[in-house]
Amino acid sequence: MRKVDELDYLTDPQSNSIGALLLHIAAAEVGYQAATFYARDLNEEERSEWGAALDLGEKARREIRGYELDYYLSRLEKVRAKTLAELGQREDQWLEEETSFGSGQRVNNYFKWFHVFGHELNHRGQIRWLRIRATRSS
């Protein structure tokens, strides 16, 4: 099986591919960049660029396929570089600043970014599970 086929592999018609999960990790981080660094939701351009990856599901299964690993890694690296640059411009007290989250609950930026990292770890576990199955089916 080619590497692209492994990145596009679906275990069943409702699952997400490794490629889609990689872009989902980046898309979620872009969303938290907007929320924490700029105090806003994703704008129309960002939603257009990242919407399928953010939402996953059928649209992601249709649109996120056929790309080499370098495509996903470069997008992840670009997003992470922006996160690190933005974090580097903030003082530690910024982490304690609270805003609403979800159902109006107030949380600080530390909690939000801890959530981003936990989210990524969860999907990395899914990717490991999928990778084993994708390489076995070759």
Side-chain angles (χ1 to χ4, degrees), residues 92-138:
D92 288 349
Q93 62 266 24
W94 174 83
L95 292 168
E96 299 301 328
E97 290 178 15
E98 291 186 1
T99 56
S100 65
F101 183 77
S103 61
Q105 182 180 10
R106 294 194 59 81
V107 298
N108 62 27
N109 288 320
Y110 177 83
F111 175 87
K112 290 177 185 178
W113 281 98
F114 185 83
H115 179 79
V116 172
F117 302 136
H119 175 260
E120 179 174 333
L121 289 173
N122 178 57
H123 289 305
R124 283 180 178 223
Q126 287 179 292
I127 289 167
R128 282 188 190 96
W129 187 88
L130 284 167
R131 187 170 169 228
I132 290 167
R133 280 136 189 90
T135 56
R136 282 187 189 158
S137 67
S138 55

Side-chain angles (χ1 to χ4, degrees), residues 14 23 29 39 58 78 85 92 107:
Q14 284 76 44
L23 280 189
E29 190 163 330
E58 187 56 40
K78 184 178 178 182
D92 288 349
V107 298

Side-chain angles (χ1 to χ4, degrees), residues 79-94:
V79 168
R80 184 59 47 90
K82 183 175 182 177
T83 296
L84 293 175
E86 290 287 347
L87 288 171
Q89 295 176 25
R90 285 157 175 77
E91 299 294 329
D92 288 349
Q93 62 266 24
W94 174 83

Side-chain angles (χ1 to χ4, degrees), residues 31-109:
Y32 276 88
Q33 288 172 351
T36 60
F37 301 145
Y38 313 118
R40 62 172 176 79
D41 292 330
L42 292 177
N43 62 35
E44 190 174 315
E45 181 181 330
E46 292 162 333
R47 189 73 186 148
S48 175
E49 179 179 357
W50 295 103
L54 193 59
D55 298 337
L56 293 173
E58 187 56 40
K59 187 173 183 184
R61 285 188 284 280
R62 279 193 322 271
E63 294 180 12
I64 304 173
R65 51 186 315 98
Y67 298 104
E68 298 283 342
L69 181 60
D70 286 344
Y71 169 80
Y72 299 109
L73 294 180
S74 68
R75 298 206 62 198
L76 283 159
E77 288 170 5
K78 184 178 178 182
V79 168
R80 184 59 47 90
K82 183 175 182 177
T83 296
L84 293 175
E86 290 287 347
L87 288 171
Q89 295 176 25
R90 285 157 175 77
E91 299 294 329
D92 288 349
Q93 62 266 24
W94 174 83
L95 292 168
E96 299 301 328
E97 290 178 15
E98 291 186 1
T99 56
S100 65
F101 183 77
S103 61
Q105 182 180 10
R106 294 194 59 81
V107 298
N108 62 27
N109 288 320

